[in-house]
Amino acid sequence: RFIATCSYDGRIHIWNLVSGFLVRTALLPKQEALSDGSDDYIAALAYNADGACVLYVRGTRFYELDTETLRARREVDAGVKGIERMAVSPDGDCIALGLKDGTIVFMDEAYSEIRRWNVHSGGIRALAFSSDGRIIASAGADHMVYVTNVASGHLVGQTKSSTTALAFKNNDGKI
């Protein structure tokens, strides 16, 4: 029923999809120069699995905002540089980060790194988990889309495409 959006002005908005109305807005504090030298903007935004909080990434840090109040719940420095995209598995057990160098980093719900795959030869432009969380698709600046089994790391499929967004239709792993 809701969608979260972010913008370069440092605001996160929660919108009601039924009415189309803006429900809440959070103006995030301006940060000083980020420790990794990256820009002060929200690089990635997603709901957690139960929708109770909105996750966002700035620099190397993860932030959790309570969905109802948009107040900070937690802030964690994950120590991962160059984050451009993020996807949360449907069960919330895994967070995938797409990096500027074409790497996908998998983290658990405590923001600890589980594994790292060097996938694309350019930055990650899009990430999506299948609805059962067993498959992840990634699109890169190298104009490739890879569909991979999350547990094994085995490639399920690939195609050449200038893709900037991905979505799975259902559990069969087709995008």
Side-chain angles (χ1 to χ4, degrees):
R1 296 185 345 161
F2 298 96
I3 188 168
T5 63
C6 62
S7 56
Y8 284 109
D9 67 358
R11 295 176 195 270
I12 292 179
H13 304 285
I14 306 293
W15 302 86
N16 182 308
L17 289 175
V18 176
S19 70
F21 291 117
L22 180 64
V23 178
R24 286 180 245 351
T25 296
L27 177 57
L28 305 174
K30 185 86 172 139
Q31 293 189 349
E32 300 302 319
L34 297 174
S35 60
D36 68 351
S38 62
D39 294 326
D40 180 25
Y41 69 93
I42 299 167
L45 178 75
Y47 279 100
N48 71 341
D50 66 5
C53 69
V54 175
L55 311 173
Y56 72 94
V57 176
R58 245 184 186 168
T60 63
R61 302 188 77 75
F62 282 88
Y63 300 85
E64 295 179 3
L65 298 179
D66 182 273
T67 303
E68 293 300 315
T69 64
L70 290 182
R71 290 199 175 122
R73 292 172 91 184
R74 184 161 72 152
E75 176 182 340
V76 177
D77 189 342
V80 177
K81 295 181 180 181
I83 301 169
E84 291 192 320
R85 301 292 181 261
M86 174 175 54
V88 178
S89 66
D91 64 6
D93 288 345
C94 185
I95 300 167
L97 304 173
L99 307 186
K100 291 178 182 179
D101 67 1
T103 301
I104 299 174
V105 175
F106 292 91
M107 305 189 94
D108 62 20
E109 64 274 6
Y111 306 108
S112 297
E113 189 171 322
I114 301 168
R115 66 182 142 321
R116 181 179 286 251
W117 295 340
N118 294 318
V119 180
H120 294 274
S121 60
I124 304 292
R125 299 292 177 244
L127 287 171
F129 279 99
S130 61
S131 59
D132 63 6
R134 296 184 318 182
I135 304 292
I136 191 164
S138 62
D142 57 2
H143 305 290
M144 291 299 296
V145 175
Y146 296 108
V147 181
T148 309
N149 181 293
V150 174
S152 69
H154 289 109
L155 190 64
V156 176
Q158 67 182 39
T159 188
K160 189 164 181 65
S161 175
S162 297
T163 300
T164 58
L166 296 165
F168 280 88
K169 180 179 177 189
N170 53 34
N171 283 341
D172 62 8
K174 294 180 181 176
I175 52 176

